[in-house]
Structure formats: structure tokens, C-alpha cells
Amino acid sequence: MAGFVEGRDRNQATLLPDRLDEALGEDHPVCVVDALEHKKLGFIFEVEATGRPGHHPATILKIYLYGDLNQIQSSRHLGRECGRNIELMWLTDQFAPGFRSIADFQSRSSPSVVIVLCRE
């Protein structure tokens, strides 16, 4: 995602667990959020050529959707969880935006997204 601030590689070694992929199974619900394609949901993002690179809106959208699925509505709480919740660390490639970035996305976008998770 050139032109945006990026997180770390999921395969990079960390203290505990050694790799974030090992902490979550392939059938973990957070993998559904990661698999969503923002373009198919109707979100198209443009890169602004001025100033510091911004946070990629697709990453903020994933955080927002994760919060909806887990009943976390506060942008401050979501921002805090990005730094300590293994699921969110995996989802965002250990990228932890501030609460203001999440709040700004929520106020600008207000996405009406309904996700139905069907388990067999």
C-alpha cells in the first residue's frame, strides 16, 4: 500500500507468541474481516500527495468493522486495543493508529455495513 503509513510484517518475530499467525487459527473470526475487500464494499480511497503519509483507510475500516463485530464502539477503546489485543495486532500488521484517526474515519465515513457471519 504505497503512499500510506504501514504496519509491520505479520511474520516478524515478536516476544509472545513468536508469530502472530500462530496465535490465531485459520478459521478464526477475525480472518473474515481481513478477507473483506473494501472495493467490493463500495469503499474507494485516494492518496493525497501533500503532507505526511496518512493511515490507509482500508486498515482503519478493518479496525472499525472489528469494533462493530466485538461491540467496541469507542474510538479511544479501539485505539487502545490495537496496541494490546492480539487479534487487532494481527489484523492491522501491528499498526496502532491513534484514537483520533479512528474517530475521524467514523465521522467522515459512517459506513452502513451489515456483516452476516454464517457458521456451518
Side-chain angles (χ1 to χ4, degrees):
M1 293 185 227
F4 294 106
V5 177
E6 295 184 19
R8 296 184 211 150
D9 182 13
R10 290 183 186 152
N11 293 318
Q12 182 176 340
T14 59
L15 183 61
L16 290 174
D18 288 336
R19 292 181 39 199
L20 290 177
D21 282 339
E22 295 173 358
L24 306 174
E26 291 179 5
D27 59 344
H28 197 280
V30 77
C31 295
V32 173
V33 175
D34 188 51
L36 292 175
E37 295 183 29
H38 62 274
K39 290 179 184 175
K40 288 185 179 180
L41 293 174
F43 291 92
I44 299 172
F45 309 115
E46 297 177 7
V47 179
E48 293 183 16
T50 61
R52 180 181 183 268
H55 307 310
H56 197 290
T59 304
I60 305 293
L61 177 62
K62 288 178 184 181
I63 295 168
Y64 184 77
L65 293 175
Y66 178 88
D68 278 353
L69 288 173
N70 291 284
Q71 299 174 353
I72 304 172
Q73 298 173 351
S74 165
S75 59
R76 289 181 187 266
H77 193 186
L78 280 170
R80 191 169 40 248
E81 288 297 306
C82 285
R84 65 180 182 191
N85 183 322
I86 290 179
E87 294 173 357
L88 272 171
M89 286 181 191
W90 180 88
L91 186 64
T92 64
D93 298 329
Q94 297 181 342
F95 173 68
F99 75 91
R100 176 67 65 198
S101 298
I102 298 168
D104 288 346
F105 177 83
Q106 287 174 327
S107 65
R108 279 192 325 253
S109 302
S110 300
S112 302
V113 179
V114 177
I115 299 175
V116 179
L117 299 176
C118 299
R119 290 195 169 190
E120 296 178 0

